[in-house]
Amino acid sequence: MTTTIEHKSYARVGLLGNPSDVYYGRTISFSLANFWAIVRLEPSDDLIIQPHHFHDLVRFKSISQLVNRLESEGYYGGVRLLMAICKVFQKYCNENNIELKSGNFTLHYDTNIPRQTGLSGSSAIVSAALNCLLDFYNVRHLIKVEVRPNLILSAEKELGIVAGLQDRVAQVYGGLVYMDFSKEHMDKLGHGIYTPMDTSLLPPLHLIYAENPSDSGKVHSNVRKRWLDGEEFIISSMKEVANLALEGRSALLEENYTKFAELINRNFDLRRLMFGDDALGSMNIDMVTVARKVGAASKFTGSGGAVVVYCPEGPSQVKLLEDACKEAGFIIQPVEISQLQRVQEL
């Protein structure tokens, strides 16, 4: 095989119900076409994971540049993600008697997803790489689409990344997806029930994010422990969060956008009650507050770093929001939604 394989996976926005996907809940998410990761696979004599010229930088002009770089970008690039999905993919195939042909390849990646914005930049790289592996080994038909988000999540768990399945489901399926992660489904099937929805049901949305956001990977930890310990407040609140996705699905199908706005705001309010302001971070709360001050509905896209906003009053309200974001130093742009993957592509 001499053909180059290339796949793109988009960023993800958790619209309603997050973070209940980690707690046998329900969510609605969509893949965000504003940002993406691309992985390219080229057949080669040896198996090579190619470092990115920026994200995997290992050459610096001074120790000061190195330190500044680490403080702004962190220690990790995408090489470890590509290695992890190769390991998880090969292990899954071995355990399920899926024979892999001989031959090697070189993996390259690129991404424009802003770091630490809760837009699932890491899983986008892994998702695109998995698609390349499925095509290189010609096993797409042997690994069910419902299972692929589990493989992506397993690769990230190899690296200690704290996350749930919803991000990976949105990136595998594309478009707008309603997800049910009830314990019954998870125990019986090993995955949730995923139902694509028509993206035209969504009203115009906007994305707000900061250039120097907080780390989204630390936000789940304390609440997870309290849930496992059986704390009634966390258990009941997480059930309410999950029900927001169910109500949101009905609201979108009925085009009841007043209800939809209320659910978005309630989702953030419940998260704030459970996690507390210290865990959420002042900058993240400020992004939500900026939107609410102009009467818009807003919530985190993930665990912090970016906010999804709905302006029910239309363009005049959007203008007020743009001005408020400019004054606060936040970036704002209209949401572009990727379309559902075609059946033959899945």
Side-chain angles (χ1 to χ4, degrees), residues 107-121:
L107 286 177
H108 309 258
Y109 81 97
D110 196 7
T111 180
N112 65 0
I113 301 174
R115 289 176 58 85
Q116 305 298 348
T117 51
L119 294 172
S120 299

PDB file of all heavy atoms in Angstrom, residues 107-121:
ATOM      1  N   LEU A 107       3.217   8.323  11.211  1.00  0.00           N
ATOM      2  CA  LEU A 107       2.084   9.161  11.590  1.00  0.00           C
ATOM      3  C   LEU A 107       2.543  10.599  11.799  1.00  0.00           C
ATOM      4  O   LEU A 107       3.511  10.857  12.517  1.00  0.00           O
ATOM      5  CB  LEU A 107       1.436   8.652  12.878  1.00  0.00           C
ATOM      6  CG  LEU A 107       0.581   7.387  12.800  1.00  0.00           C
ATOM      7  CD1 LEU A 107       0.084   7.006  14.189  1.00  0.00           C
ATOM      8  CD2 LEU A 107      -0.597   7.572  11.850  1.00  0.00           C
ATOM      9  N   HIS A 108       1.853  11.533  11.159  1.00  0.00           N
ATOM     10  CA  HIS A 108       2.059  12.970  11.348  1.00  0.00           C
ATOM     11  C   HIS A 108       0.750  13.552  11.876  1.00  0.00           C
ATOM     12  O   HIS A 108      -0.333  13.053  11.541  1.00  0.00           O
ATOM     13  CB  HIS A 108       2.382  13.675  10.023  1.00  0.00           C
ATOM     14  CG  HIS A 108       3.485  13.055   9.235  1.00  0.00           C
ATOM     15  ND1 HIS A 108       4.756  13.573   9.207  1.00  0.00           N
ATOM     16  CD2 HIS A 108       3.491  11.967   8.412  1.00  0.00           C
ATOM     17  CE1 HIS A 108       5.511  12.833   8.406  1.00  0.00           C
ATOM     18  NE2 HIS A 108       4.763  11.855   7.914  1.00  0.00           N
ATOM     19  N   TYR A 109       0.828  14.600  12.663  1.00  0.00           N
ATOM     20  CA  TYR A 109      -0.405  15.249  13.107  1.00  0.00           C
ATOM     21  C   TYR A 109      -0.250  16.768  13.112  1.00  0.00           C
ATOM     22  O   TYR A 109       0.853  17.300  13.158  1.00  0.00           O
ATOM     23  CB  TYR A 109      -0.814  14.763  14.506  1.00  0.00           C
ATOM     24  CG  TYR A 109      -0.083  15.438  15.648  1.00  0.00           C
ATOM     25  CD1 TYR A 109      -0.657  16.515  16.331  1.00  0.00           C
ATOM     26  CD2 TYR A 109       1.188  15.026  16.038  1.00  0.00           C
ATOM     27  CE1 TYR A 109       0.010  17.146  17.374  1.00  0.00           C
ATOM     28  CE2 TYR A 109       1.854  15.642  17.086  1.00  0.00           C
ATOM     29  CZ  TYR A 109       1.260  16.706  17.747  1.00  0.00           C
ATOM     30  OH  TYR A 109       1.924  17.337  18.767  1.00  0.00           O
ATOM     31  N   ASP A 110      -1.398  17.424  13.069  1.00  0.00           N
ATOM     32  CA  ASP A 110      -1.446  18.872  13.218  1.00  0.00           C
ATOM     33  C   ASP A 110      -2.782  19.210  13.872  1.00  0.00           C
ATOM     34  O   ASP A 110      -3.760  18.452  13.739  1.00  0.00           O
ATOM     35  CB  ASP A 110      -1.312  19.570  11.870  1.00  0.00           C
ATOM     36  CG  ASP A 110      -0.964  21.053  12.012  1.00  0.00           C
ATOM     37  OD1 ASP A 110      -0.698  21.500  13.151  1.00  0.00           O
ATOM     38  OD2 ASP A 110      -0.962  21.756  10.989  1.00  0.00           O
ATOM     39  N   THR A 111      -2.855  20.318  14.570  1.00  0.00           N
ATOM     40  CA  THR A 111      -4.102  20.719  15.224  1.00  0.00           C
ATOM     41  C   THR A 111      -4.135  22.223  15.411  1.00  0.00           C
ATOM     42  O   THR A 111      -3.096  22.861  15.595  1.00  0.00           O
ATOM     43  CB  THR A 111      -4.255  20.020  16.589  1.00  0.00           C
ATOM     44  OG1 THR A 111      -5.487  20.446  17.192  1.00  0.00           O
ATOM     45  CG2 THR A 111      -3.102  20.341  17.534  1.00  0.00           C
ATOM     46  N   ASN A 112      -5.336  22.781  15.328  1.00  0.00           N
ATOM     47  CA  ASN A 112      -5.523  24.202  15.639  1.00  0.00           C
ATOM     48  C   ASN A 112      -6.492  24.387  16.804  1.00  0.00           C
ATOM     49  O   ASN A 112      -6.970  25.492  17.049  1.00  0.00           O
ATOM     50  CB  ASN A 112      -6.006  24.976  14.410  1.00  0.00           C
ATOM     51  CG  ASN A 112      -7.395  24.549  13.954  1.00  0.00           C
ATOM     52  OD1 ASN A 112      -8.018  23.665  14.538  1.00  0.00           O
ATOM     53  ND2 ASN A 112      -7.892  25.166  12.892  1.00  0.00           N
ATOM     54  N   ILE A 113      -6.790  23.305  17.525  1.00  0.00           N
ATOM     55  CA  ILE A 113      -7.687  23.381  18.671  1.00  0.00           C
ATOM     56  C   ILE A 113      -6.950  24.069  19.825  1.00  0.00           C
ATOM     57  O   ILE A 113      -5.886  23.593  20.238  1.00  0.00           O
ATOM     58  CB  ILE A 113      -8.172  21.989  19.103  1.00  0.00           C
ATOM     59  CG1 ILE A 113      -8.899  21.291  17.941  1.00  0.00           C
ATOM     60  CG2 ILE A 113      -9.097  22.095  20.327  1.00  0.00           C
ATOM     61  CD1 ILE A 113      -9.293  19.855  18.224  1.00  0.00           C
ATOM     62  N   PRO A 114      -7.476  25.159  20.345  1.00  0.00           N
ATOM     63  CA  PRO A 114      -6.787  25.860  21.439  1.00  0.00           C
ATOM     64  C   PRO A 114      -6.596  24.944  22.648  1.00  0.00           C
ATOM     65  O   PRO A 114      -7.507  24.189  23.009  1.00  0.00           O
ATOM     66  CB  PRO A 114      -7.737  27.025  21.768  1.00  0.00           C
ATOM     67  CG  PRO A 114      -8.583  27.195  20.553  1.00  0.00           C
ATOM     68  CD  PRO A 114      -8.728  25.840  19.951  1.00  0.00           C
ATOM     69  N   ARG A 115      -5.427  25.017  23.251  1.00  0.00           N
ATOM     70  CA  ARG A 115      -5.112  24.161  24.385  1.00  0.00           C
ATOM     71  C   ARG A 115      -5.902  24.546  25.631  1.00  0.00           C
ATOM     72  O   ARG A 115      -6.177  25.715  25.856  1.00  0.00           O
ATOM     73  CB  ARG A 115      -3.610  24.247  24.709  1.00  0.00           C
ATOM     74  CG  ARG A 115      -2.720  23.581  23.682  1.00  0.00           C
ATOM     75  CD  ARG A 115      -1.248  23.800  24.029  1.00  0.00           C
ATOM     76  NE  ARG A 115      -0.927  23.279  25.359  1.00  0.00           N
ATOM     77  CZ  ARG A 115      -0.599  22.012  25.596  1.00  0.00           C
ATOM     78  NH1 ARG A 115      -0.556  21.139  24.617  1.00  0.00           N
ATOM     79  NH2 ARG A 115      -0.298  21.619  26.829  1.00  0.00           N
ATOM     80  N   GLN A 116      -6.251  23.521  26.418  1.00  0.00           N
ATOM     81  CA  GLN A 116      -6.887  23.704  27.726  1.00  0.00           C
ATOM     82  C   GLN A 116      -8.159  24.554  27.668  1.00  0.00           C
ATOM     83  O   GLN A 116      -8.419  25.358  28.559  1.00  0.00           O
ATOM     84  CB  GLN A 116      -5.878  24.310  28.723  1.00  0.00           C
ATOM     85  CG  GLN A 116      -4.602  23.524  28.872  1.00  0.00           C
ATOM     86  CD  GLN A 116      -4.816  22.115  29.410  1.00  0.00           C
ATOM     87  OE1 GLN A 116      -5.891  21.784  29.889  1.00  0.00           O
ATOM     88  NE2 GLN A 116      -3.799  21.269  29.321  1.00  0.00           N
ATOM     89  N   THR A 117      -8.932  24.352  26.616  1.00  0.00           N
ATOM     90  CA  THR A 117     -10.198  25.085  26.500  1.00  0.00           C
ATOM     91  C   THR A 117     -11.405  24.184  26.716  1.00  0.00           C
ATOM     92  O   THR A 117     -12.536  24.617  26.508  1.00  0.00           O
ATOM     93  CB  THR A 117     -10.319  25.746  25.110  1.00  0.00           C
ATOM     94  OG1 THR A 117     -10.054  24.775  24.100  1.00  0.00           O
ATOM     95  CG2 THR A 117      -9.361  26.912  24.976  1.00  0.00           C
ATOM     96  N   GLY A 118     -11.188  22.944  27.104  1.00  0.00           N
ATOM     97  CA  GLY A 118     -12.318  22.041  27.277  1.00  0.00           C
ATOM     98  C   GLY A 118     -13.012  21.721  25.979  1.00  0.00           C
ATOM     99  O   GLY A 118     -14.214  21.424  25.948  1.00  0.00           O
ATOM    100  N   LEU A 119     -12.263  21.761  24.874  1.00  0.00           N
ATOM    101  CA  LEU A 119     -12.816  21.474  23.544  1.00  0.00           C
ATOM    102  C   LEU A 119     -12.342  20.125  22.998  1.00  0.00           C
ATOM    103  O   LEU A 119     -12.501  19.832  21.819  1.00  0.00           O
ATOM    104  CB  LEU A 119     -12.444  22.584  22.560  1.00  0.00           C
ATOM    105  CG  LEU A 119     -13.056  23.954  22.851  1.00  0.00           C
ATOM    106  CD1 LEU A 119     -12.470  25.013  21.921  1.00  0.00           C
ATOM    107  CD2 LEU A 119     -14.577  23.918  22.716  1.00  0.00           C
ATOM    108  N   SER A 120     -11.748  19.305  23.867  1.00  0.00           N
ATOM    109  CA  SER A 120     -11.345  17.938  23.521  1.00  0.00           C
ATOM    110  C   SER A 120     -10.285  17.881  22.427  1.00  0.00           C
ATOM    111  O   SER A 120     -10.395  17.121  21.467  1.00  0.00           O
ATOM    112  CB  SER A 120     -12.567  17.106  23.106  1.00  0.00           C
ATOM    113  OG  SER A 120     -13.487  17.032  24.170  1.00  0.00           O
ATOM    114  N   GLY A 121      -9.246  18.682  22.603  1.00  0.00           N
ATOM    115  CA  GLY A 121      -8.160  18.690  21.631  1.00  0.00           C
ATOM    116  C   GLY A 121      -7.377  17.389  21.604  1.00  0.00           C
ATOM    117  O   GLY A 121      -6.989  16.912  20.530  1.00  0.00           O
TER     118      GLY A 121
END
